[in-house]
Amino acid sequence: MTDSALRPYNFSAGPAAIPEPVLRRAAAEMLDWPFPDGRRSGMGVMEMSHRGEAFGIILQQALDDLRELLAIPDNFRILFMQGGGLAENAIVPLNLSHGEAASFVVTGGWSQKSHAEAGKFCQARLAANAAVQDASGATSYTHIPAPESWQLDAGSRYVHICSNETIHGVEFHQLPDLAALDCNAPLVVDFSSNVASRPMDWSKVGLAFGGAQKNLGPAGLTLVVVREDLLGQAMQHCPSAFDYTLVAKNNSMYNTPPTYGIYMAGLTFQWIKAQGGVAALEAQNIAKAQLLYDFLDSSSFFSNRVDKACRSRMNVPFFLADESRNADFLAGAQQRGLLQLKGHKSVGGMRASIYNAMPMAGVQALVDYLREFEAKHA
Ligand SMILES: *Cc1c(COP(=O)(O)O)cnc(C)c1O
């Protein structure tokens, strides 16, 4: 294995960098997972029955650690599922909508997809749409419409937001308080790309879901946190494996859960605890984001176009003033061990994803490179 000092910084939007101690621990336990009491299991985690003693311990530890880290109240159930964030765009309406109305706040590419998919299963209403068409017809998202301006349909079974738009770099720094807007519907939050990067105010939330591959572990695991009173409402044709009530009743083992993903997420939860928990990571994430945005704002060559009030701490899209140098920029970055900085195809430019696993030193190395590149080419 390479020495940690030689490992490049990985700015991928997802699947994204995993903390190195997590990878090392998984590597050490690959062939023979040890019980906490020191007994050897004689098996790797991928080879274990999900109903055996060893995996039972892994699952329970992961559930307990996650509940503690995110301060998830007792009246919420934690579900480990498959299908990713995109499948949840269908699974949520199948479980919550009764085929009736649901409202969507579209602030970027992901909530736009959620709104479109839900339309197959319910009456998907647009409560707000932040899309702006520029002169060339391209769509951009750079702001969050004020919650007071949202058109919240009285009959909506739920209101959907994406708390961090991974592609467009737009983040809710405060969850909306629907009750204060005279809306009794539960808030559904796609927190795929900022889960565990900051504390969560569960008093405002009915359900949150996210794929694991941004901040929690490998792709293939989907986290759902659902308030108990929202269970038991799935539509008749909801696939059994996607019925939250059945998944909850069977402690995420209605069918075989993504066992290795749960194990890796569990190791990540332990790593987060060792960092001082989610609040400590939030402080680091604020500092990392500020370092990068401050540089971008001070630069005449690089820029970020998102409103300062809702800039993402996790995903920072940016542009070169001279786009003909994009390929040059990426090649130089690669050479310095700054990987996967190319922007999403729908936005262009660059994107630096600086999730929990990205250390301050990685952001500093990026800013050093940006400064040097600007001095050479501006
Ligand atoms: C990555 C992502 C998704 C999609 O997740 P899949 O696992 O690819 O289905 C959905 N929402 C957000 C906010 C994401 O960042």
Side-chain angles (χ1 to χ4, degrees), residues 83-154:
L86 276 192
E88 291 299 328
N89 285 342
I91 296 170
V92 171
L94 280 165
N95 276 275
L96 300 190
S97 77
H98 296 248
E100 299 170 7
S103 292
F104 293 78
V105 179
V106 173
T107 54
W110 287 115
S111 47
Q112 187 270 325
K113 273 199 161 78
S114 300
H115 172 250
E117 180 75 2
K120 296 180 179 176
F121 306 98
C122 67
Q123 300 153 41
R125 305 261 158 80
L126 208 48
N129 186 3
V132 174
Q133 236 82 254
D134 72 13
S136 71
T139 304
S140 69
Y141 294 92
T142 55
H143 76 289
I144 295 179
E148 295 71 32
S149 74
W150 297 354
Q151 303 293 310
L152 295 170
D153 183 287

Side-chain angles (χ1 to χ4, degrees), residues 83-87 110 162 164-166 190 192-193 209 211 213-214:
L86 276 192
W110 287 115
C162 175
N164 182 64
E165 291 282 359
T166 320
D190 175 357
S192 296
S193 56
F209 69 81
Q213 70 270 26
K214 289 24 185 289

Side-chain angles (χ1 to χ4, degrees), residues 215-361:
N215 243 342
L216 301 180
L221 168 66
T222 313
L223 170 66
V224 175
V225 183
V226 56
R227 217 173 56 207
E228 262 163 3
D229 62 284
L230 298 175
L231 297 174
Q233 306 179 42
M235 286 196 277
Q236 222 264 316
H237 57 284
C238 176
S240 302
F242 293 156
D243 182 335
Y244 293 141
T245 310
L246 283 178
V247 178
K249 203 180 277 173
N250 290 279
N251 199 24
S252 296
M253 298 216 273
Y254 176 74
N255 65 331
T256 313
T259 53
Y260 200 74
I262 291 170
Y263 161 74
M264 288 292 287
L267 294 184
T268 304
F269 302 154
Q270 289 174 33
W271 175 82
I272 296 173
K273 284 171 92 170
Q275 307 308 299
V278 167
L281 284 179
E282 179 185 38
Q284 280 186 42
N285 289 329
I286 290 172
K288 280 152 49 187
Q290 187 171 355
L291 176 65
L292 184 48
Y293 284 117
D294 280 354
F295 174 79
L296 294 171
D297 289 343
S298 73
S299 163
S300 51
F301 189 75
F302 295 100
S303 64
N304 168 280
R305 299 168 187 169
V306 178
D307 271 9
K308 286 187 181 174
C310 57
R311 283 175 165 178
S312 170
R313 295 173 186 162
M314 298 283 102
N315 310 96
V316 183
F318 60 93
F319 299 90
L320 282 64
D322 176 2
E323 297 236 277
S324 74
R325 297 214 178 269
N326 282 356
D328 225 20
F329 174 84
L330 287 167
Q334 170 99 22
Q335 229 164 39
R336 286 183 164 229
L338 306 171
L339 307 183
Q340 309 205 70
L341 281 163
K342 190 170 182 198
H344 189 272
K345 60 184 184 312
S346 68
V347 174
M350 307 297 153
R351 173 174 49 168
S353 294
I354 50 175
Y355 298 117
N356 285 346
M358 175 61 63
M360 180 59 112

Side-chain angles (χ1 to χ4, degrees), residues 139-206:
T139 304
S140 69
Y141 294 92
T142 55
H143 76 289
I144 295 179
E148 295 71 32
S149 74
W150 297 354
Q151 303 293 310
L152 295 170
D153 183 287
S156 277
R157 286 290 185 163
Y158 66 92
V159 177
H160 175 109
I161 66 165
C162 175
S163 56
N164 182 64
E165 291 282 359
T166 320
I167 295 172
H168 293 90
V170 172
E171 183 170 9
F172 278 85
H173 291 299
Q174 223 177 357
L175 293 179
D177 185 353
L178 294 184
L181 299 169
D182 283 331
C183 173
N184 296 320
L187 182 68
V188 170
V189 184
D190 175 357
F191 66 173
S192 296
S193 56
N194 70 350
V195 56
S197 72
R198 58 195 304 156
M200 180 105 176
D201 181 356
W202 293 102
S203 71
K204 293 177 178 159
V205 176

